[in-house]
Amino acid sequence: MTKYKKFKNFTVQRNYKYDTHDENGNLVSNLSETDWENKILDLFKSIEPSLKCGALIFHDKDIDTDNNKPKSLHVHMVLEFSNARTLNSICKVLNVSSSQNCSVVKILGSSYRYLTHISDSAINKGKHIYSPNEVYTYNCNYVDKCKYNNKDLSKLGDSYSYKTFRIDVINRKIKISKDDDNDYNEIFENYISDIMDDLSSDKINMKQTKEKILNYFSGNNKQFDFLRKYDGYKVWKHNYQMFYSEFLSGLNFRARNMQSGRNLKTFYLYGEGGSGKTQLAKGLAKTFSKDGETYHSAPAPSKNVTYDFAGMYNGEDVSVFDDVKPSAFDKDEFFHDFDPNTPSMVASRNNDVYWLARFAIFTTSKPIETFCDKLIPRNKYSSNSEGQDSYEQDLYQFYRRIHFILHVEKERNDLYPYRCKVTINVMNVNDYVKSLGRYYKYSVVYCDDVSDLETVMKTAKEIKNVLSSDKVDNFVKSYVDNNTD
């Protein structure tokens, strides 16, 4: 049997989640990801005296290509021992619980390339490509170990960098005409590689990526005349899968950085039809977005179909839920998706994705109490004290997810036929005081013409200024202090 035979070269994998949870998914260790990484590094260093050479890398941006869900943190190792060892002994010394996570190396070059996902299999699956700088090595140079198509990459010298790795992949995805100017090749490759870097580090989203590609490879690009003949739509289409893989890695990266707190703020705009709440919601979305323009419009719910509001989400900072009904949500899903502190992995018909908007804006014709009564009907709870406590707890969980209520009312006259009044109510998210009610009337602003975009944007900016954190916190504190014994 293989486990009793001796070999010199092995690959090993360990997973943070599996190391800290039991087979039922229950937490069995409070070890942080950083502490786990340090523990793995110490273990690797402990076997270095017996190694000829070796390398390891921690993967924290991988996406499961079957369902597009982020994979948990894990480590890959390639080990070359000076003396032959059994597979069983390697599993034991490195605390590998399953023999499936330890295997004998057949092709060293391919195993080393897989560490940064530049092996053939990784490229074909569109996996995130890691930097060689992220690889920890012992007694070897990582690039020297990545023999690609029987060519020793070390001959390329120090210029063979992370960007060069990415360009290798791009050239395999896009067929570049041999007649094209060499300058074009370099400009094209560097530009696409930079786009992928920005996506994987969450600097841009898919919508912004498409706009960049179409603008760059268009007749309007005066910087490089020879780029005009290349179709931006083809460049976008041919690279789309790679772009999307990097985008999902970027969402995963952002979600990991949000573990200490998401700070989602949710607006609830309500008013009669024609009051201007939809236009105002769009103005607020642009005002609160990072670029002042881009936001996510959640699709309208369909009858008898699970509400897939994140299906078209592309990483925007703001999501608008126009004319949304409480029937679109299940109570527990609502609590999960709109938790203000925890990043949300949202169920979608296409693929579950992280919904990481910093602002959610609802518009509806009904007051907040009506929405709450439909989502959390009182008659679903028993009349005993236990049922009452459960009902009160669910009410609290609902209201702590709605930070601002904006009542939009028609306030029109002959001089301002499209004027509206916006009454802003704020939630005391720091101290839930039932005796005072859940929301406090905070301010009133007016929009003189909801049909004019410039006027709507001016009002939205005024609301943003009114709702600055310091002003709201000071108001709530003062209100509580003056209305409690």
Side-chain angles (χ1 to χ4, degrees), residues 79-91:
L79 308 172
E80 297 183 57
F81 286 92
S82 302
N83 299 311
R85 303 290 186 91
T86 64
L87 191 65
N88 195 45
S89 68
I90 300 302
C91 290

Side-chain angles (χ1 to χ4, degrees), residues 18 21-26 28:
Y18 294 157
H21 294 71
D22 63 20
E23 59 184 10
N24 296 319
N26 299 313
V28 295

Side-chain angles (χ1 to χ4, degrees), residues 171-361:
N171 283 334
R172 297 187 61 178
K173 288 288 184 179
I174 299 293
K175 292 182 179 180
I176 299 176
S177 172
K178 298 297 183 181
D179 297 329
D180 287 340
D181 192 291
N182 288 333
D183 288 340
Y184 164 73
N185 289 341
E186 183 177 356
I187 293 168
F188 174 86
E189 294 161 353
N190 288 342
Y191 185 76
I192 299 298
S193 180
D194 289 342
I195 287 284
M196 289 163 58
D197 287 340
D198 287 344
L199 278 167
S200 64
S201 57
D202 193 41
K203 293 179 180 178
I204 58 175
N205 58 42
M206 288 294 282
K207 186 182 296 185
Q208 293 165 330
T209 298
K210 184 176 182 180
E211 291 173 356
K212 280 178 173 286
I213 293 294
L214 296 184
N215 289 333
Y216 193 78
F217 297 95
S218 70
N220 297 322
N221 191 336
K222 305 298 183 182
Q223 185 179 8
F224 304 109
D225 290 341
F226 57 83
L227 293 183
R228 297 182 187 181
K229 62 181 179 179
Y230 297 99
D231 189 340
Y233 282 100
K234 289 184 179 179
V235 175
W236 165 255
K237 181 180 177 181
H238 290 165
N239 283 277
Y240 179 83
Q241 194 57 47
M242 279 201 304
F243 287 150
Y244 192 67
S245 176
E246 297 298 324
F247 161 69
L248 292 176
S249 296
L251 286 186
N252 189 23
F253 173 80
R254 195 199 311 179
R256 287 169 59 83
N257 288 338
M258 281 185 172
Q259 292 302 324
S260 59
R262 178 186 186 184
N263 198 27
L264 169 68
K265 299 294 185 185
T266 300
F267 291 75
Y268 186 93
L269 278 67
Y270 75 99
E272 63 178 306
S275 60
K277 57 184 181 294
T278 297
Q279 291 87 336
L280 189 60
K282 293 177 180 178
L284 286 171
K286 291 184 177 182
T287 300
F288 280 97
S289 67
K290 283 184 178 179
D291 62 5
E293 185 66 32
T294 306
Y295 64 92
H296 163 234
S297 291
S302 302
K303 290 185 177 180
N304 303 320
V305 177
T306 301
Y307 187 27
D308 183 17
F309 74 81
M312 299 298 290
Y313 178 67
N314 284 312
E316 298 88 349
D317 297 307
V318 185
S319 290
V320 175
F321 301 79
D322 190 32
D323 195 26
V324 70
K325 305 291 191 299
S327 57
F329 299 99
D330 170 81
K331 179 196 69 176
D332 292 334
E333 288 178 346
F334 184 90
F335 288 173
H336 170 266
D337 296 345
F338 295 93
D339 188 301
N341 300 317
T342 306
S344 303
M345 175 67 80
V346 177
S348 172
R349 286 192 296 274
N350 298 321
N351 300 289
D352 291 356
V353 298
Y354 268 118
W355 175 63
L356 302 176
R358 296 182 300 124
F359 299 94
I361 303 174

Side-chain angles (χ1 to χ4, degrees), residues 317-422:
D317 297 307
V318 185
S319 290
V320 175
F321 301 79
D322 190 32
D323 195 26
V324 70
K325 305 291 191 299
S327 57
F329 299 99
D330 170 81
K331 179 196 69 176
D332 292 334
E333 288 178 346
F334 184 90
F335 288 173
H336 170 266
D337 296 345
F338 295 93
D339 188 301
N341 300 317
T342 306
S344 303
M345 175 67 80
V346 177
S348 172
R349 286 192 296 274
N350 298 321
N351 300 289
D352 291 356
V353 298
Y354 268 118
W355 175 63
L356 302 176
R358 296 182 300 124
F359 299 94
I361 303 174
F362 288 77
T363 74
T364 180
S365 60
K366 303 298 182 182
I368 188 72
E369 293 80 9
T370 303
F371 191 99
C372 179
D373 290 343
K374 294 290 186 181
L375 185 69
I376 309 173
R378 179 67 182 86
N379 59 9
K380 296 293 184 181
Y381 299 81
S382 62
S383 58
N384 58 29
S385 59
E386 184 178 347
Q388 181 64 27
D389 289 343
S390 179
Y391 176 64
E392 287 290 337
Q393 179 61 29
D394 282 348
L395 284 181
Y396 169 65
Q397 292 300 332
F398 171 78
Y399 281 109
R400 67 181 286 267
R401 284 160 171 76
I402 310 295
H403 299 86
F404 309 110
I405 297 179
L406 278 60
H407 186 193
V408 185
E409 302 173 271
K410 294 178 181 178
E411 186 90 1
R412 299 175 182 177
N413 52 47
D414 293 339
L415 183 61
Y416 298 108
Y418 298 104
R419 194 180 198 221
C420 74
K421 171 185 176 182
V422 183

